[in-house]
Amino acid sequence: MDRIPKIPLAEWTDNFIAYLQSNFGASTQAFAEGLEGFIKGLQGLLIAAPAELILIIIVLLAWRLAGKKMAVFSVLGLFFIYNLGLWSVTMETIAMVISAVLLCMLIGIPLGILGAKNNTAHRIIMPILDFMQTLPAFVYLLPAIPFFGLGVVPGVITTIIFAMPPVIRLTDLGLKQVPEELIELGKSFGSTFWQMLVKIELPLARSTMLAGINQCIMLSLSMVVIASMIGAKGLGGIVWRAIQTLNMGTGFEAGVAIVIIAIILDRITQNLGTKK
Amino acid sequence: MIEVKNLTKIYGHNTDAALAMLKKGVPNQEIKDKTKQVVGVRDASFTVENGETFVIMGLSGSGKSTLLRCINRLIKASAGQILIDGVDVLTMAPKELEELRKRKMAMVFQRFALLPHRNILDNVAYGLEVQGVKIEERQAKAREVIEMVGLSGWEDSYPENLSGGMQQRVGIARALATEPDILLMDEPFSALDPLIRQDMQDELIDIQEKLQKTIIFITHDLDEALKIGDHIALMKDGEIVQIGSPEDILLSPASDYVARFVENVNRSLALTAASVMVRPRYVVHPKDGPRTSLNFMEKHGLSTLFVLDRTGKLKGYISAEDAAELAAKGIKDLADIIQDDMPTTNPNTPLADLLDVMAYTKVPIAVIDEDQRLQGTLVRGSVIAGLAGGRGGINNG
């Protein structure tokens, strides 16, 4: 076994990334700038908006979608975060999560539809998703830097890679679970491909797809925190700095804020699928 | 008119070899063993006339649902032709096929296939929506058919709030909303309770009388087939083993398989008075007189006799006691003792409707045509023989 020379996978990877960078660097740069504008804009908006307004919006959402108890929890939780002085970093984190989730849906839902409709596409997409989900996040956290630099953009991009698989998978699954008789119904009345999709398949796949989006939100939140290592800031940034300076108290405060946001986001989006 | 010619469906990836074997008459099982291809429908041919209800019946796995789905090409047949008003469905371009499904035919499903995210009104309007009909227009039409199936007031409810029977009414309304010529019904009442099933069958018959659609109806229930079918095709192992009217199937089964199938059926639904009546061989005319009548009755062991006038019209009946009394008095004319309170029926009445009368009458039921002429009589023996599966009682009275 030892006689076989080491397969130079590391060199290949380096070469491949260098190749991508020299050939696609310009376009990724343009994309990164656009994305950065969007994220920064959203962050600015959330930070500039009065905290009371955002609190009211979140509490109303929690009340409508998750019930009274959750509304009370949201009031207390958000007030606690504000009190700790973590409000604007929390908004930074939420803006990143929203950006990542929107992009995940924008890319993931069409890919999920493609996978459900086309067997070849399905066979290509699924192993890539396995790869995306099992590859340790740190491994692609670093290559993101040469393409997108340090900051929120590589953070959000790596978050998208990490959080998109459930959107694709559950869109694909939801569409495949539509009962055969309802597919026959659509066809037997002469529905076109788009009519089938919009009037029958997507509405019936809705709750499964929303479960995927809920997972995507939770994964995004966890990844946005990790992405602070490459300068994504937000609540994760506080935690990262606290680790480096062994400042356990502030680290714990930011950690609690992350948990509160996670619970609120989870409960609100969990119930989306069950409402008519 | 729908003409299905030599329709064959073989499931599998390599159907050519299987098709060639099938043409040579190799049995399904052997084809499966040798080519791994499964025969779904085997060389089926039949014609459905406009406005008739054509029932395809068979047990599960007999290929009846596959055959139905070949007609609107939900399943693409491997060989043969399906001509709808002369145009072959199998060779249609995708757009033509879509158009055919939109305008000309509609399907009703076994498990109703209602869209859970739409209310009843929008479920019924689905076909029109697909056609691109404007919202006011399609909702007005939907309301109209909802009323026809007796569901007015439920327009805003969701399918989950309706019972099975009501859900299938919605399914039927949806199929009628596009005003198709052809209805494909895939075991529409199989999932319903027996009592509701019967109501729905009766209603389908009513609707059909009004609208005169061409219906292809799938069922595994022979009673249902006999009740609603103008013609019935019986399928076994993908093949049609007999096509005929309900009475043909009951009275002259083409094979042992069909015979065994019809053995346990409720024959009273399909048999009519005409098919079990006894020819009126023993009748008298008023001028025959009581003595002749009495002799006749004694000789053949009868207690009553029908009396006809010269043109064969039924005048009534006489009993043996009355005739004996009359004879004792020496009166020659029967006119005084003719009674006319016997039950009568026309030849097309289903036996099911007559069993009640049969149970209480002392006199045989007289089967008469529109001109009051006696066509036959129904006596208990022949009715029971008919119900039991004997070949009617036409000549053994």
Side-chain angles (χ1 to χ4, degrees):
Chain A
M1 279 257 263
D2 284 342
R3 289 192 175 188
I4 303 167
K6 177 186 177 290
I7 298 167
L9 190 59
E11 285 84 352
W12 289 347
T13 313
D14 288 342
N15 291 341
F16 181 65
I17 289 172
Y19 167 80
L20 286 181
Q21 206 191 338
S22 57
N23 288 282
F24 299 98
S27 49
T28 53
Q29 208 57 49
F31 172 73
E33 276 165 24
L35 186 59
E36 183 163 22
F38 179 77
I39 301 166
K40 287 274 161 68
L42 191 60
Q43 285 181 336
L45 191 73
L46 289 182
I47 292 168
E52 293 83 358
L53 178 69
I54 291 181
L55 190 129
I56 287 170
I57 291 172
I58 292 179
V59 170
L60 276 179
L61 277 175
W63 183 49
R64 294 289 299 154
L65 294 167
K68 255 185 219 156
K69 275 186 195 165
M70 205 51 223
V72 172
F73 178 85
S74 306
V75 175
L76 296 178
L78 291 173
F79 182 78
F80 186 57
I81 289 173
Y82 190 87
N83 179 269
L84 291 176
L86 294 172
W87 186 261
S88 52
V89 275
T90 302
M91 290 303 116
E92 276 177 20
T93 297
I94 288 180
M96 283 191 280
V97 170
I98 291 174
S99 313
V101 171
L102 284 179
L103 276 167
C104 282
M105 285 164 66
L106 206 67
I107 304 166
I109 291 174
L111 281 176
I113 293 172
L114 187 68
K117 292 281 172 190
N118 183 313
N119 273 333
T120 313
H122 183 85
R123 276 196 294 269
I124 295 170
I125 291 170
M126 289 305 147
I128 296 177
L129 296 187
D130 293 335
F131 193 76
M132 280 161 77
Q133 281 186 301
T134 47
L135 194 69
F138 302 102
V139 176
Y140 53 84
L141 213 53
L142 296 177
I145 299 172
F147 286 100
F148 305 109
L150 282 167
V152 292
V153 173
V156 169
I157 302 258
T158 47
T159 303
I160 290 168
I161 295 172
F162 184 69
M164 193 161 53
V167 176
I168 301 176
R169 258 187 227 286
L170 288 167
T171 302
D172 175 282
L173 179 71
L175 290 175
K176 283 193 174 145
Q177 277 175 344
V178 175
E180 180 60 27
E181 228 187 27
L182 294 178
I183 301 288
E184 285 189 337
L185 155 77
K187 286 189 187 162
S188 72
F189 278 88
S191 315
T192 60
F193 175 85
W194 288 108
Q195 283 173 332
M196 289 287 297
L197 199 61
V198 173
K199 294 179 197 291
I200 296 180
E201 292 169 304
L202 287 177
L204 286 163
R206 189 173 155 242
S207 57
T208 310
M209 287 168 70
L210 284 169
I213 291 168
N214 170 268
Q215 282 187 29
C216 171
I217 292 172
M218 301 321 287
L219 290 175
S220 295
L221 184 62
S222 67
M223 192 60 195
V224 157
V225 171
I226 294 172
S228 61
M229 287 169 62
I230 54 170
K233 296 200 183 132
L235 284 168
I238 309 252
V239 176
W240 181 235
R241 220 174 310 132
I243 292 171
Q244 285 173 321
T245 55
L246 286 178
N247 198 339
M248 276 175 280
T250 33
F252 186 71
E253 279 180 359
V256 170
I258 290 168
V259 171
I260 291 170
I261 294 301
I263 292 173
I264 294 174
L265 285 178
D266 181 52
R267 295 301 137 83
I268 289 178
T269 55
Q270 209 172 47
N271 289 309
L272 277 176
T274 56
K275 288 263 152 80
K276 267 242 160 72
Chain B
M1 192 165 78
I2 304 170
E3 293 164 275
V4 173
K5 293 180 181 168
N6 308 103
L7 191 79
T8 293
K9 171 65 193 177
I10 295 170
Y11 289 104
H13 294 294
N14 179 22
T15 55
D16 291 350
L19 211 55
M21 286 173 80
L22 188 142
K23 285 208 175 105
K24 281 185 207 145
V26 179
N28 291 352
Q29 189 57 46
E30 207 181 317
I31 294 178
K32 191 182 167 195
D33 292 343
K34 287 199 176 141
T35 65
K36 306 272 182 257
Q37 315 290 300
V38 178
V39 178
V41 176
R42 189 176 173 119
D43 203 24
S45 299
F46 58 89
T47 303
V48 184
E49 300 292 342
N50 287 339
E52 81 162 323
T53 305
F54 188 91
V55 175
I56 300 172
M57 95 141 267
L59 300 176
S60 57
S62 62
K64 55 191 192 301
S65 286
T66 305
L67 180 52
L68 185 78
R69 281 164 173 71
C70 285
I71 292 171
N72 64 355
R73 226 169 94 180
L74 284 180
I75 292 175
K76 190 152 192 193
S78 313
Q81 281 186 311
I82 301 148
L83 302 174
I84 292 178
D85 297 332
V87 184
D88 191 357
V89 176
L90 267 177
T91 55
M92 276 183 178
K95 277 286 153 203
E96 272 179 284
L97 180 65
E98 232 169 66
E99 215 41 40
L100 175 88
R101 288 168 173 177
K102 264 183 202 167
R103 320 251 165 210
K104 217 153 193 185
M105 44 174 60
M107 197 160 170
V108 178
F109 295 86
Q110 184 175 5
R111 310 280 333 171
F112 324 130
L114 301 184
L115 296 171
H117 57 282
R118 288 172 166 240
N119 65 20
I120 300 311
L121 189 66
D122 291 338
N123 260 293
V124 172
Y126 182 79
L128 295 167
E129 187 179 328
V130 167
Q131 288 181 6
V133 175
K134 286 209 186 76
I135 185 156
E136 300 84 21
E137 205 179 313
R138 70 178 187 241
Q139 290 195 340
K141 180 69 197 174
R143 280 178 211 284
E144 196 180 296
V145 280
I146 287 172
E147 195 184 332
M148 190 192 293
V149 299
L151 282 181
S152 294
W154 291 89
E155 290 87 349
D156 299 328
S157 307
Y158 282 82
E160 60 184 8
N161 300 320
L162 268 59
S163 68
M166 289 162 86
Q167 292 195 29
Q168 194 56 296
R169 281 165 204 268
V170 177
I172 291 171
R174 176 176 60 194
L176 293 174
T178 56
E179 299 187 351
D181 302 332
I182 299 164
L183 289 183
L184 304 176
M185 307 184 85
D186 181 21
E187 300 207 37
F189 306 144
S190 300
L192 305 176
D193 295 337
L195 281 177
I196 296 175
R197 193 184 308 160
Q198 287 184 12
D199 287 348
M200 296 291 285
Q201 290 163 354
D202 292 339
E203 255 178 81
L204 180 68
I205 292 169
D206 287 349
I207 290 174
Q208 174 63 352
E209 257 169 37
K210 261 185 259 165
L211 302 179
Q212 298 286 313
K213 303 284 182 196
T214 305
I215 300 178
I216 299 186
F217 189 106
I218 305 286
T219 183
H220 62 255
D221 176 358
L222 187 56
D223 284 335
E224 187 169 76
L226 296 169
K227 184 170 171 184
I228 63 172
D230 295 317
H231 284 98
I232 297 171
L234 227 124
M235 285 187 83
K236 181 187 181 243
D237 299 333
E239 269 178 291
I240 293 180
V241 289
Q242 186 172 4
I243 300 182
S245 67
E247 277 183 45
D248 290 340
I249 303 267
L250 267 190
L251 299 179
S252 35
S255 64
D256 282 353
Y257 178 77
V258 182
R260 257 185 296 133
F261 218 105
V262 300
E263 219 167 54
N264 298 318
V265 74
N266 182 355
R267 303 168 71 92
S268 70
L269 287 171
L271 293 178
T272 57
S275 58
V276 293
M277 69 187 181
V278 180
R279 278 226 181 110
R281 233 185 285 172
Y282 311 118
V283 292
V284 287
H285 299 284
K287 64 168 176 49
D288 285 345
R291 291 240 172 256
T292 324
S293 308
L294 270 176
N295 278 342
F296 216 41
M297 284 193 251
E298 264 166 39
K299 199 167 154 197
H300 299 290
L302 304 167
S303 59
T304 55
L305 261 186
F306 283 115
V307 184
L308 305 183
D309 70 7
R310 234 177 262 147
T311 59
K313 279 187 188 163
L314 180 65
K315 298 210 48 121
Y317 68 95
I318 55 169
S319 69
E321 297 96 64
D322 288 350
E325 217 172 281
L326 206 64
K329 284 182 193 163
I331 302 171
K332 288 271 166 67
D333 197 339
L334 291 174
D336 290 347
I337 59 162
I338 295 173
Q339 304 177 56
D340 58 3
D341 59 347
M342 68 278 160
T344 61
T345 181
N346 74 52
N348 297 324
T349 309
L351 214 47
D353 298 350
L354 297 171
L355 292 176
D356 223 26
V357 185
M358 200 80 235
Y360 296 105
T361 180
K362 292 194 179 93
V363 188
I365 299 175
V367 183
I368 51 176
D369 65 12
E370 300 114 48
D371 301 326
Q372 298 290 309
R373 271 202 291 268
L374 186 67
Q375 299 294 307
T377 64
L378 288 176
V379 294
R380 284 195 184 87
S382 64
V383 170
I384 291 168
L387 290 176
R391 295 285 171 99
I394 305 227
N395 288 314
N396 51 359

Short mmCIF file of all heavy atoms in Angstrom, two decimals, chain A residues 46-87:
data_model
loop_
_atom_site.label_atom_id
_atom_site.label_comp_id
_atom_site.label_asym_id
_atom_site.label_seq_id
_atom_site.Cartn_x
_atom_site.Cartn_y
_atom_site.Cartn_z
N LEU A 46 -32.67 47.37 9.76
CA LEU A 46 -33.12 46.76 11.02
C LEU A 46 -32.54 47.50 12.22
O LEU A 46 -33.20 47.65 13.25
CB LEU A 46 -32.72 45.29 11.08
CG LEU A 46 -33.49 44.34 10.13
CD1 LEU A 46 -33.04 42.91 10.33
CD2 LEU A 46 -34.99 44.45 10.36
N ILE A 47 -31.29 47.97 12.07
CA ILE A 47 -30.67 48.67 13.19
C ILE A 47 -31.27 50.07 13.36
O ILE A 47 -31.53 50.52 14.48
CB ILE A 47 -29.13 48.76 13.01
CG1 ILE A 47 -28.54 47.35 13.12
CG2 ILE A 47 -28.49 49.67 14.05
CD1 ILE A 47 -27.11 47.23 12.67
N ALA A 48 -31.53 50.72 12.21
CA ALA A 48 -32.06 52.08 12.26
C ALA A 48 -33.51 52.12 12.73
O ALA A 48 -33.94 53.07 13.37
CB ALA A 48 -31.94 52.74 10.89
N ALA A 49 -34.25 51.06 12.42
CA ALA A 49 -35.67 51.04 12.80
C ALA A 49 -35.77 51.06 14.31
O ALA A 49 -34.92 50.49 15.00
CB ALA A 49 -36.34 49.78 12.24
N PRO A 50 -36.81 51.74 14.85
CA PRO A 50 -36.97 51.76 16.31
C PRO A 50 -37.13 50.33 16.84
O PRO A 50 -37.87 49.53 16.25
CB PRO A 50 -38.26 52.56 16.53
CG PRO A 50 -38.67 53.09 15.20
CD PRO A 50 -37.86 52.46 14.14
N ALA A 51 -36.45 50.04 17.92
CA ALA A 51 -36.51 48.70 18.50
C ALA A 51 -37.95 48.30 18.83
O ALA A 51 -38.34 47.15 18.66
CB ALA A 51 -35.64 48.63 19.74
N GLU A 52 -38.75 49.31 19.27
CA GLU A 52 -40.14 49.01 19.63
C GLU A 52 -40.92 48.45 18.44
O GLU A 52 -41.69 47.51 18.57
CB GLU A 52 -40.85 50.29 20.14
CG GLU A 52 -40.34 50.83 21.45
CD GLU A 52 -39.09 51.70 21.27
OE1 GLU A 52 -38.62 51.85 20.13
OE2 GLU A 52 -38.59 52.21 22.29
N LEU A 53 -40.67 49.08 17.27
CA LEU A 53 -41.40 48.65 16.06
C LEU A 53 -41.08 47.18 15.75
O LEU A 53 -41.98 46.37 15.52
CB LEU A 53 -41.00 49.55 14.89
CG LEU A 53 -41.66 49.18 13.56
CD1 LEU A 53 -43.15 49.48 13.59
CD2 LEU A 53 -41.00 49.93 12.40
N ILE A 54 -39.78 46.85 15.76
CA ILE A 54 -39.37 45.48 15.44
C ILE A 54 -39.92 44.51 16.47
O ILE A 54 -40.42 43.43 16.15
CB ILE A 54 -37.84 45.41 15.34
CG1 ILE A 54 -37.44 46.19 14.09
CG2 ILE A 54 -37.36 43.97 15.29
CD1 ILE A 54 -36.00 46.22 13.79
N LEU A 55 -39.88 44.95 17.74
CA LEU A 55 -40.42 44.11 18.81
C LEU A 55 -41.91 43.83 18.56
O LEU A 55 -42.35 42.68 18.64
CB LEU A 55 -40.22 44.81 20.14
CG LEU A 55 -40.53 43.94 21.37
CD1 LEU A 55 -39.36 43.99 22.34
CD2 LEU A 55 -41.80 44.36 22.07
N ILE A 56 -42.64 44.87 18.20
CA ILE A 56 -44.08 44.69 17.97
C ILE A 56 -44.33 43.72 16.80
O ILE A 56 -45.15 42.81 16.89
CB ILE A 56 -44.76 46.06 17.70
CG1 ILE A 56 -44.85 46.83 19.01
CG2 ILE A 56 -46.17 45.86 17.11
CD1 ILE A 56 -45.28 48.28 18.83
N ILE A 57 -43.55 43.91 15.71
CA ILE A 57 -43.74 43.02 14.55
C ILE A 57 -43.48 41.56 14.93
O ILE A 57 -44.29 40.67 14.65
CB ILE A 57 -42.80 43.45 13.40
CG1 ILE A 57 -43.25 44.80 12.84
CG2 ILE A 57 -42.80 42.40 12.29
CD1 ILE A 57 -42.29 45.41 11.84
N ILE A 58 -42.36 41.32 15.62
CA ILE A 58 -42.02 39.94 15.99
C ILE A 58 -43.06 39.35 16.94
O ILE A 58 -43.51 38.21 16.78
CB ILE A 58 -40.61 39.87 16.61
CG1 ILE A 58 -39.57 40.21 15.53
CG2 ILE A 58 -40.34 38.47 17.17
CD1 ILE A 58 -38.14 40.21 16.03
N VAL A 59 -43.49 40.16 17.91
CA VAL A 59 -44.47 39.66 18.87
C VAL A 59 -45.80 39.34 18.19
O VAL A 59 -46.42 38.31 18.46
CB VAL A 59 -44.67 40.67 20.02
CG1 VAL A 59 -45.86 40.27 20.89
CG2 VAL A 59 -43.41 40.75 20.87
N LEU A 60 -46.21 40.21 17.26
CA LEU A 60 -47.46 39.93 16.54
C LEU A 60 -47.36 38.63 15.75
O LEU A 60 -48.26 37.79 15.77
CB LEU A 60 -47.79 41.09 15.59
CG LEU A 60 -48.52 42.28 16.22
CD1 LEU A 60 -48.77 43.36 15.19
CD2 LEU A 60 -49.84 41.84 16.87
N LEU A 61 -46.23 38.47 15.06
CA LEU A 61 -46.01 37.24 14.30
C LEU A 61 -46.08 36.02 15.22
O LEU A 61 -46.74 35.03 14.92
CB LEU A 61 -44.65 37.27 13.61
CG LEU A 61 -44.57 38.01 12.27
CD1 LEU A 61 -43.13 38.06 11.79
CD2 LEU A 61 -45.45 37.31 11.23
N ALA A 62 -45.39 36.13 16.37
CA ALA A 62 -45.36 35.02 17.32
C ALA A 62 -46.76 34.72 17.82
O ALA A 62 -47.17 33.56 17.94
CB ALA A 62 -44.43 35.35 18.48
N TRP A 63 -47.51 35.78 18.08
CA TRP A 63 -48.86 35.59 18.62
C TRP A 63 -49.77 34.91 17.59
O TRP A 63 -50.48 33.95 17.89
CB TRP A 63 -49.42 36.97 19.00
CG TRP A 63 -50.78 36.90 19.63
CD1 TRP A 63 -51.16 36.08 20.66
CD2 TRP A 63 -51.93 37.66 19.27
NE1 TRP A 63 -52.47 36.29 20.96
CE2 TRP A 63 -52.98 37.25 20.14
CE3 TRP A 63 -52.18 38.66 18.33
CZ2 TRP A 63 -54.25 37.81 20.06
CZ3 TRP A 63 -53.45 39.21 18.26
CH2 TRP A 63 -54.46 38.79 19.11
N ARG A 64 -49.68 35.39 16.32
CA ARG A 64 -50.54 34.83 15.27
C ARG A 64 -50.16 33.39 14.94
O ARG A 64 -51.02 32.54 14.72
CB ARG A 64 -50.43 35.67 13.98
CG ARG A 64 -50.97 37.07 14.09
CD ARG A 64 -52.48 37.09 14.19
NE ARG A 64 -53.12 36.51 13.01
CZ ARG A 64 -54.32 35.95 13.04
NH1 ARG A 64 -54.98 35.85 14.17
NH2 ARG A 64 -54.85 35.47 11.94
N LEU A 65 -48.87 33.13 14.89
CA LEU A 65 -48.43 31.84 14.36
C LEU A 65 -48.10 30.82 15.43
O LEU A 65 -48.09 29.62 15.17
CB LEU A 65 -47.21 32.04 13.45
CG LEU A 65 -47.49 32.84 12.17
CD1 LEU A 65 -46.19 33.25 11.51
CD2 LEU A 65 -48.35 32.04 11.21
N ALA A 66 -47.80 31.26 16.65
CA ALA A 66 -47.36 30.29 17.65
C ALA A 66 -48.10 30.42 18.97
O ALA A 66 -47.82 29.70 19.91
CB ALA A 66 -45.86 30.42 17.87
N GLY A 67 -49.05 31.35 19.04
CA GLY A 67 -49.88 31.40 20.24
C GLY A 67 -49.42 32.42 21.28
O GLY A 67 -48.37 33.03 21.16
N LYS A 68 -50.25 32.55 22.32
CA LYS A 68 -50.04 33.58 23.34
C LYS A 68 -48.74 33.38 24.11
O LYS A 68 -47.98 34.31 24.33
CB LYS A 68 -51.21 33.53 24.33
CG LYS A 68 -52.19 34.68 24.14
CD LYS A 68 -53.26 34.63 25.23
CE LYS A 68 -54.61 34.99 24.63
NZ LYS A 68 -55.74 34.45 25.38
N LYS A 69 -48.49 32.12 24.49
CA LYS A 69 -47.31 31.85 25.31
C LYS A 69 -46.04 32.32 24.60
O LYS A 69 -45.16 32.91 25.21
CB LYS A 69 -47.20 30.35 25.58
CG LYS A 69 -48.03 29.91 26.76
CD LYS A 69 -47.76 28.44 27.06
CE LYS A 69 -48.83 27.88 27.97
NZ LYS A 69 -48.82 26.42 27.99
N MET A 70 -46.00 32.03 23.29
CA MET A 70 -44.82 32.38 22.51
C MET A 70 -44.69 33.90 22.40
O MET A 70 -43.58 34.44 22.39
CB MET A 70 -44.92 31.74 21.14
CG MET A 70 -43.59 31.50 20.47
SD MET A 70 -42.46 30.63 21.55
CE MET A 70 -41.00 31.57 21.23
N ALA A 71 -45.84 34.57 22.33
CA ALA A 71 -45.81 36.04 22.25
C ALA A 71 -45.21 36.62 23.53
O ALA A 71 -44.36 37.51 23.49
CB ALA A 71 -47.23 36.57 22.03
N VAL A 72 -45.64 36.07 24.67
CA VAL A 72 -45.12 36.54 25.95
C VAL A 72 -43.61 36.27 26.02
O VAL A 72 -42.81 37.15 26.39
CB VAL A 72 -45.84 35.82 27.13
CG1 VAL A 72 -45.17 36.17 28.46
CG2 VAL A 72 -47.31 36.20 27.14
N PHE A 73 -43.22 35.06 25.60
CA PHE A 73 -41.79 34.72 25.60
C PHE A 73 -41.00 35.70 24.73
O PHE A 73 -39.92 36.14 25.11
CB PHE A 73 -41.60 33.28 25.09
CG PHE A 73 -40.16 32.87 25.02
CD1 PHE A 73 -39.51 32.35 26.14
CD2 PHE A 73 -39.44 33.00 23.84
CE1 PHE A 73 -38.18 31.98 26.08
CE2 PHE A 73 -38.10 32.64 23.77
CZ PHE A 73 -37.47 32.12 24.90
N SER A 74 -41.56 36.04 23.56
CA SER A 74 -40.86 36.95 22.65
C SER A 74 -40.66 38.31 23.29
O SER A 74 -39.58 38.89 23.20
CB SER A 74 -41.65 37.12 21.35
OG SER A 74 -41.93 35.87 20.79
N VAL A 75 -41.71 38.82 23.93
CA VAL A 75 -41.59 40.13 24.59
C VAL A 75 -40.45 40.10 25.60
O VAL A 75 -39.53 40.92 25.57
CB VAL A 75 -42.91 40.51 25.30
CG1 VAL A 75 -42.71 41.81 26.08
CG2 VAL A 75 -44.04 40.66 24.31
N LEU A 76 -40.51 39.10 26.50
CA LEU A 76 -39.50 39.01 27.55
C LEU A 76 -38.11 38.80 26.96
O LEU A 76 -37.15 39.46 27.34
CB LEU A 76 -39.84 37.85 28.51
CG LEU A 76 -41.15 38.02 29.29
CD1 LEU A 76 -41.42 36.80 30.17
CD2 LEU A 76 -41.10 39.30 30.14
N GLY A 77 -38.00 37.88 26.00
CA GLY A 77 -36.71 37.54 25.41
C GLY A 77 -36.07 38.73 24.72
O GLY A 77 -34.90 39.04 24.94
N LEU A 78 -36.87 39.42 23.88
CA LEU A 78 -36.32 40.55 23.13
C LEU A 78 -35.96 41.69 24.06
O LEU A 78 -34.95 42.37 23.88
CB LEU A 78 -37.33 41.01 22.06
CG LEU A 78 -37.54 40.01 20.91
CD1 LEU A 78 -38.67 40.45 20.00
CD2 LEU A 78 -36.26 39.84 20.10
N PHE A 79 -36.79 41.88 25.08
CA PHE A 79 -36.48 42.92 26.07
C PHE A 79 -35.15 42.61 26.76
O PHE A 79 -34.31 43.49 26.97
CB PHE A 79 -37.62 43.04 27.09
CG PHE A 79 -37.39 44.11 28.09
CD1 PHE A 79 -37.62 45.45 27.76
CD2 PHE A 79 -36.92 43.83 29.37
CE1 PHE A 79 -37.39 46.46 28.68
CE2 PHE A 79 -36.68 44.83 30.30
CZ PHE A 79 -36.92 46.15 29.94
N PHE A 80 -34.98 41.35 27.10
CA PHE A 80 -33.75 40.90 27.75
C PHE A 80 -32.53 41.20 26.87
O PHE A 80 -31.51 41.73 27.33
CB PHE A 80 -33.88 39.39 28.03
CG PHE A 80 -32.74 38.83 28.81
CD1 PHE A 80 -32.40 39.35 30.06
CD2 PHE A 80 -32.00 37.76 28.32
CE1 PHE A 80 -31.36 38.80 30.79
CE2 PHE A 80 -30.96 37.22 29.06
CZ PHE A 80 -30.63 37.74 30.30
N ILE A 81 -32.64 40.88 25.56
CA ILE A 81 -31.55 41.13 24.62
C ILE A 81 -31.24 42.63 24.56
O ILE A 81 -30.07 43.04 24.62
CB ILE A 81 -31.92 40.61 23.22
CG1 ILE A 81 -31.92 39.08 23.22
CG2 ILE A 81 -30.94 41.13 22.16
CD1 ILE A 81 -32.42 38.46 21.95
N TYR A 82 -32.30 43.42 24.51
CA TYR A 82 -32.13 44.88 24.46
C TYR A 82 -31.41 45.37 25.71
O TYR A 82 -30.47 46.17 25.65
CB TYR A 82 -33.50 45.56 24.34
CG TYR A 82 -33.41 47.03 24.03
CD1 TYR A 82 -33.32 47.46 22.71
CD2 TYR A 82 -33.41 47.99 25.04
CE1 TYR A 82 -33.22 48.81 22.41
CE2 TYR A 82 -33.31 49.33 24.76
CZ TYR A 82 -33.22 49.74 23.43
OH TYR A 82 -33.13 51.05 23.12
N ASN A 83 -31.86 44.83 26.83
CA ASN A 83 -31.31 45.20 28.12
C ASN A 83 -29.82 44.88 28.23
O ASN A 83 -29.04 45.62 28.82
CB ASN A 83 -32.12 44.49 29.21
CG ASN A 83 -31.60 44.81 30.59
OD1 ASN A 83 -30.75 44.11 31.11
ND2 ASN A 83 -32.10 45.92 31.15
N LEU A 84 -29.41 43.75 27.61
CA LEU A 84 -28.01 43.36 27.65
C LEU A 84 -27.15 44.23 26.73
O LEU A 84 -25.94 44.08 26.68
CB LEU A 84 -27.86 41.89 27.22
CG LEU A 84 -28.41 40.82 28.17
CD1 LEU A 84 -28.26 39.45 27.56
CD2 LEU A 84 -27.69 40.88 29.52
N GLY A 85 -27.80 45.09 25.93
CA GLY A 85 -27.06 45.94 25.01
C GLY A 85 -26.66 45.20 23.74
O GLY A 85 -25.71 45.58 23.06
N LEU A 86 -27.36 44.12 23.43
CA LEU A 86 -27.01 43.30 22.26
C LEU A 86 -27.96 43.53 21.08
O LEU A 86 -27.95 42.78 20.13
CB LEU A 86 -27.01 41.81 22.64
CG LEU A 86 -25.93 41.38 23.64
CD1 LEU A 86 -26.15 39.93 24.07
CD2 LEU A 86 -24.54 41.55 23.04
N TRP A 87 -28.81 44.58 21.17
CA TRP A 87 -29.87 44.74 20.17
C TRP A 87 -29.32 44.87 18.75
O TRP A 87 -29.72 44.12 17.86
CB TRP A 87 -30.75 45.95 20.50
CG TRP A 87 -31.91 46.07 19.58
CD1 TRP A 87 -32.00 46.90 18.49
CD2 TRP A 87 -33.12 45.33 19.63
NE1 TRP A 87 -33.20 46.71 17.86
CE2 TRP A 87 -33.92 45.75 18.54
CE3 TRP A 87 -33.61 44.34 20.50
CZ2 TRP A 87 -35.17 45.23 18.28
CZ3 TRP A 87 -34.88 43.84 20.24
CH2 TRP A 87 -35.64 44.28 19.15
#
